[in-house]
Structures are given as C-alpha cells and as structure tokens.
Amino acid sequence: MFQRILYAILTSLLLWVAWPPNNIAPLLFIAFIPILLLERNLSLSGEGGTGKKIFLYSWLAFGLWNIFTTWWLINAHWSGLLMTTLVNGALMAWVITIFHFIKRKLGNQRGYIALPFLWICLEILHKNWDLSFPWLNLGNGFAENVEWIQWYEYTGAFGGTFWIWLVNLLLFSALIAFQKSKNWSSLALRLVITIIPAVLVPIQLSHLRYSNYEEQGEEANIVVVQPSIDTYTEKNIMSNEEQAVKFLRLGNFEMDSTVDFLVGPEDLLTEGTYIDKLEETSPIKLYKAVVGQYPNLNIVSGATLLQHYSTTPTSPTAREYNNTEAWYDVYNSAIMINRFDSIPYYHKSKLVAGVEMMPFSSVLKPVLGNLISSMGGTSNGLGYQKNREVFTSADSQFKVAPLICWESDFGEYVTEYVRKGANLLFIITNDDWWGESPGYIQHLHYARLRAIENRRSIARSANTGVSCFINQRGDIIQPQPYKKPVAIKGVIKANTELTYYSKAGDVLGRVSLFISGFMLLFAFVKGYLKKVNSLAQR
C-alpha cells in the first residue's frame, strides 16, 4: 500500500511542479508514469476490487494536484477549492478507471491507445457543462513555453494534451520493456527512434515557426489601464463615477490623438446600471467627454448591467423585485463608447459555477438556493447571451472580441469571435479575487495560448494585474506589476487571416469523442458477449 500511495503522491507532485508559474514544463512528459505504474501494479496483483482501488488512488493523486495548483481559490471562498478537489479530482480519477476497464476488456494495447483520447474527453466536458473548469487542461501546462507550441494554431491546446500523454506512454512502455529484458541497448534504441523524436520534433518545428513568423495586420494604438481598485475594500465604497474618474485619469497620461482604444478591466463600473438608462449615467458622460476630445477613440471597459422586464420574462436567469411582479436580469458585461450614440454591449456568457451561476439550477435551485447564496455565490445566476458579440471601432477598421475574465480560457469559444470577424482580442478581467497568488499568473499565461491559436494580438486589462499586451506569437509585452495603478500604451496588429484552428475548432476533441465512445462501447459489448458465452457453457 505504501508504494501505491507513493506513486499517487509522486504524480501529483510532478504535475504541480511542472505547472505554471513554476516553468518546469518538461516534467509533464514523465508526470503520469507513476500513476500508470500504480494501475499496472494493481492490474497484475489479482486482488479483488481492483477498479475501486484504482479510482481511489487516482483520486488521491489528482485531488492533491488540484490542491497544490489551485489552492489560491480559497482566497475567494473555501468552497471553490473543495469543489475542484472533490469534483475535478474525481473526474480525472474516473478517466484512469475507465482506461483500466477498457484495457482489461480489450487488451493492453487498445487500452493505452484509448487513454489520451479519454483524457481529452474530460477536457471537452470542462468546456461545456455547468461545472466547467478548464484551468488544469493539460495543454495549458506549456503556456510559459510558447516557443514549443506554435503548432497550437492547428491543434489548439488539446494538441498539447495529446503530446503529453503520448510521451508519457512511450516512456512508460520503454520502462516496462526494460524491466523485463534489462537490455540497455534496446532501451537506447527506443529512446533514439521514438521517444526523443516525439519530444524534440514538435519543439523544433515550433521554434522554426516562432522564429519565422511575421505579425500580420494593420496597427492599432491601444492604451490599457490597470486601476488597481481593491476588490474587497475599495470596490464596496467607490461609486461608478469615482471608479470611472480613476480609470480616465490614469489613461490620460498616455492619451493622444493617435490612440484607437482605451481599455479598462472587468466590472470597472460595479454598481448595476439599467441598459436603457446607460447613456444618462455620470460615468458614460465622462467617457463621452473624453471621446469628444479624441473623435476616433473607442473606450472599452467592464460594467454591471441590468435589464428590466415589465412582464414575466422568458429569461431563465431573471429575478423578481421584492414583493412585486416586475423582473430583472443582472449581467457581467463589456461596453464600448465612441462618437456614435449607440452603446454596444456584450454579456459574459461563460459564467463561473457557484459564483455567477448555479450549476444544474433546475434541479438544485429549489433545494440549495439559500445555501449557495450564503457561500458567496448566487442562487439566481447572472444573465448571459447565446451569441458572441464583436465590437466595431468608430472608423470600422478594427473588430474587437471583448473577452471577460475566464472566457479567455476556453479555446474553441474564442474562435467564435474570430470567425465573426474579430481581428483583435481584448481580455478584461479582475483577478484580485485570488490575491497575490499563482492564480493571476496562470490566468495571464493561458491568454498566450489564445493568441497563438488564432494569431490574434491581445490587449489585456486586469484590475490589479497583470495588464499587458500579447503579440501573435504569444509573447508578453509590457507586463505590469501586481497592484500597481498604471496605464500603458502599445501598438498591436489586427490580423484578419484565419488559422486552421480558428476555422475548424477542436477537431482533435471530436476525434477523441468518437474513438473513446467506440472503445467504450466495444469493451461493454465484448464483456457482455463473454459473459453470455460463459453462461452458455455451464
């Protein structure tokens, strides 16, 4: 038992140490070998309840990895860390358990072939279900090593996930073969012929692409503001007008007639404002006054918007005014102000479970509504919109994808903006909820993947940091220190060309669903037929 626990802990430690911001990504190529050895040990042991034991040991491994890597979630609320440890750790453990089942029914070779695809299916689940949490998707582990992964423009981050599993499985196979033969020359041959090329060829091809890539598109002059308004103190006492004044004052230090965009962070205007009254508010009048000085300027920032319904709404997230028959929705939104009267807005649609939306609300809301609220979340849920929204600049030259907070962590989701014409990506976020921890650094680096996948430049405004620019190769430019009130000015290019990934999305994900489904069905059918034959022979 001690050896098995050690294997589980070793996998968790290797994954944690390899993960951003530690920047030791090569460890990802060996991180799963201990858990594979554990599964093999149990498979060969002949013990009863093997599947259950594999699940529990794997849950230990991946639960610890979640704790080590995302412990900072507790800074917002302890429930976030609890959910990632229990739910995400258990889902990862189920992948290993299902792999064990397929291997037992269909043989070792088919089982190991299925494993990378099964893991990608878990990552697909985390893109789409109510408890989505793509934070630890394996392809994110290379976010600090953009020189290695320029081919994400074809595969997306799922390509990184597959790469990690491929190398782990090749090394594991070589290790098992060596344990049986003790043949050093055979091991060396495996390393030279398969394993080393599997690691170095993708890196070398990526380095060539990185070195030769030339940024495309017209130049856009951007001023990004990092206002550094403390989420737990100042935001509770500052009015929308006061926050807008601080934002504009910082931005003014870098403003001139050449600036195309002034960008502020998520929920900059915290107090809820009704959409139909937006133009009448003081912050918008202040924005309009600045635009009056610079007619080509576009101001993009976050805001909390409200939608009033005079009759019963069709929106499932609408809430009722106290003791009335009127309803309203609350949105975490992005707005754009320019010389035109209309104010385009976009409502955040990838919402954080428990905080911004109640997962599986139709089932859980009648039971847990008050409990969710008491834990710092919302039992009603924020509103959202089904379609992506692209902001067009006043001169019609630039089209902006207004990504709010962790929407930037969903690769295929971002391609929806790009296919709608977005030639720039703006990420507006407030990472102050997690404090000065690895969380805000991880979030920064994940944004680099979206730049590579779509070959789109990024302007990133984070309330307390890190605000910066990211070019089309994924390089971070002018990163600002955490908690520093500052404005930065930069020139980024607005590419209009679509990458293969922008056009096709997660092809590898769809292939993984097909292969995993086929393998699992095959395993069930074969097991059933074997049972029937066994009964017939009695």
Side-chain angles (χ1 to χ4, degrees):
M1 176 182 287
F2 176 76
Q3 184 187 51
R4 294 168 184 173
I5 292 175
L6 186 62
Y7 280 149
I9 293 174
L10 186 55
T11 281
S12 67
L13 290 174
L14 286 169
L15 288 167
W16 167 51
V17 173
W19 209 254
N22 298 323
N23 199 17
I24 316 178
L27 291 179
L28 291 170
F29 294 127
I30 63 172
F32 290 100
I33 292 176
I35 207 72
L36 291 171
L37 288 170
L38 187 153
E39 188 277 335
R40 184 174 185 272
N41 178 297
L42 280 165
S43 295
L44 297 175
S45 68
E47 299 175 13
T50 302
K52 180 180 179 181
K53 291 176 182 178
I54 287 172
F55 174 79
L56 291 175
Y57 282 119
S58 300
W59 198 359
L60 171 64
F62 299 125
L64 287 174
W65 178 34
N66 276 265
I67 292 173
F68 295 155
T69 312
T70 62
W71 61 265
W72 41 265
L73 287 169
I74 203 169
N75 289 344
H77 199 276
W78 59 265
S79 59
L81 180 59
L82 180 66
M83 288 300 292
T84 58
T85 302
L86 294 181
V87 177
N88 201 33
L91 289 170
M92 292 174 173
W94 271 115
V95 172
I96 304 301
T97 307
I98 294 170
F99 146 71
H100 167 75
F101 170 76
I102 292 175
K103 186 164 73 79
R104 183 162 55 88
K105 297 296 183 182
L106 304 181
N108 288 351
Q109 186 177 36
R110 288 170 177 162
Y112 290 120
I113 288 173
L115 182 51
F117 300 107
L118 289 169
W119 194 277
I120 290 173
C121 286
L122 168 62
E123 297 187 349
I124 292 171
L125 177 68
H126 272 319
K127 292 195 316 173
N128 298 304
W129 75 322
D130 279 8
L131 291 176
S132 59
F133 189 70
W135 207 266
L136 296 184
N137 285 4
L138 293 178
N140 294 347
F142 296 116
E144 291 182 284
N145 305 90
V146 294
E147 300 89 350
W148 294 11
I149 53 169
Q150 294 295 304
W151 38 269
Y152 275 21
E153 66 179 314
Y154 298 100
T155 69
F158 285 167
T161 299
F162 187 83
W163 188 30
I164 289 168
W165 271 113
L166 175 64
V167 177
N168 271 273
L169 289 169
L170 289 173
L171 284 168
F172 173 73
S173 175
L175 176 62
I176 297 304
F178 178 74
Q179 284 180 344
K180 292 177 179 179
S181 67
K182 305 298 182 184
N183 189 326
W184 286 99
S185 60
S186 177
L187 177 62
L189 188 63
R190 277 177 176 260
L191 288 171
V192 171
I193 293 178
T194 60
I195 299 170
I196 292 176
V199 175
L200 295 185
V201 169
I203 292 175
Q204 185 59 38
L205 290 174
S206 180
H207 269 284
L208 287 172
R209 179 64 168 154
Y210 179 84
S211 300
N212 296 320
Y213 182 80
E214 294 183 4
E215 291 200 276
Q216 307 293 317
E218 298 294 323
E219 292 186 344
N221 291 276
I222 316 288
V223 172
V224 168
V225 175
Q226 179 174 294
S228 193
I229 301 171
D230 190 278
T231 298
Y232 292 98
T233 57
E234 291 179 284
K235 274 198 171 291
N236 294 324
I237 58 175
M238 290 181 69
S239 67
N240 277 354
E241 183 175 358
E242 290 172 319
Q243 294 184 58
V245 166
K246 184 173 184 179
F247 163 61
L248 294 172
R249 177 171 51 81
L250 286 167
N252 188 58
F253 288 111
E254 299 292 343
M255 285 298 301
D256 59 45
S257 59
T258 67
V259 175
D260 297 297
F261 289 94
L262 174 63
V263 187
E266 177 188 18
D267 67 15
L268 178 64
L269 308 180
T270 311
E271 297 173 338
T273 303
Y274 286 98
I275 294 172
D276 57 352
K277 303 292 185 182
L278 193 56
E279 296 178 16
E280 303 171 12
T281 63
S282 296
I284 301 306
K285 291 178 179 178
L286 290 171
Y287 287 2
K288 285 288 189 180
V290 174
V291 170
Q293 300 175 52
Y294 307 103
N296 288 324
L297 179 65
N298 305 270
I299 300 178
V300 176
S301 79
T304 299
L305 298 184
L306 308 177
Q307 176 68 60
H308 172 76
Y309 305 103
S310 57
T311 59
T312 303
T314 56
S315 166
T317 56
R319 59 194 75 188
E320 191 174 7
Y321 290 104
N322 292 333
N323 302 317
T324 69
E325 294 184 359
W327 300 74
Y328 70 104
D329 256 319
V330 181
Y331 299 99
N332 183 354
S333 306
I335 59 174
M336 184 171 76
I337 310 297
N338 53 32
R339 65 174 182 261
F340 299 119
D341 292 333
S342 62
I343 301 176
Y345 53 83
Y346 164 73
H347 303 314
K348 181 181 179 182
S349 299
K350 281 292 186 183
L351 303 176
V352 180
V355 178
E356 296 178 317
M357 54 86 73
M358 175 181 284
F360 317 113
S361 59
S362 61
V363 176
L364 296 181
K365 186 174 179 179
V367 180
L368 298 178
N370 292 334
L371 177 61
I372 293 291
S373 298
S374 68
M375 292 168 62
T378 172
S379 59
N380 295 91
L382 298 184
Y384 58 91
Q385 64 182 66
K386 293 182 180 180
N387 301 313
R388 308 290 70 76
E389 190 79 20
V390 175
F391 292 165
T392 302
S393 63
D395 60 6
S396 301
Q397 188 174 9
F398 304 110
K399 294 183 181 295
V400 172
L403 303 168
I404 303 175
C405 192
W406 84 329
E407 288 185 325
S408 63
D409 300 331
F410 295 80
E412 192 172 45
Y413 184 85
V414 175
T415 67
E416 295 178 33
Y417 295 95
V418 176
R419 289 196 298 273
K420 284 197 168 186
N423 50 29
L424 294 171
L425 305 181
F426 287 1
I427 297 175
I428 62 174
T429 185
N430 179 14
D431 297 344
D432 194 35
W433 296 103
W434 313 320
E436 194 163 1
S437 69
Y440 79 91
I441 303 174
Q442 292 166 359
H443 197 202
L444 163 68
H445 287 293
Y446 295 165
R448 307 171 76 180
L449 307 183
R450 308 292 86 83
I452 297 168
E453 289 168 345
N454 300 283
R455 296 301 180 188
R456 291 295 186 271
S457 303
I458 295 173
R460 187 176 195 269
S461 174
N463 174 32
T464 50
V466 173
S467 297
C468 63
F469 301 102
I470 301 175
N471 68 20
Q472 294 164 21
R473 300 190 307 178
D475 300 316
I476 297 174
I477 301 167
Q478 297 188 57
Q480 297 305 300
Y482 189 74
K483 286 286 189 179
K484 178 183 179 181
V486 66
I488 54 174
K489 184 178 181 180
V491 177
I492 59 178
K493 291 194 174 184
N495 188 13
T496 58
E497 298 297 319
L498 295 179
T499 65
Y500 176 80
Y501 182 74
S502 297
K503 291 183 285 188
D506 286 317
V507 173
L508 187 53
R510 295 190 283 276
V511 170
S512 296
L513 287 171
F514 175 79
I515 292 176
S516 298
F518 177 78
M519 288 281 203
L520 197 54
L521 180 61
F522 188 15
F524 274 116
V525 170
K526 188 171 183 179
Y528 174 75
L529 292 176
K530 184 177 180 180
K531 185 177 180 180
V532 169
N533 290 334
S534 176
L535 290 172
Q537 292 172 5
R538 290 183 181 179

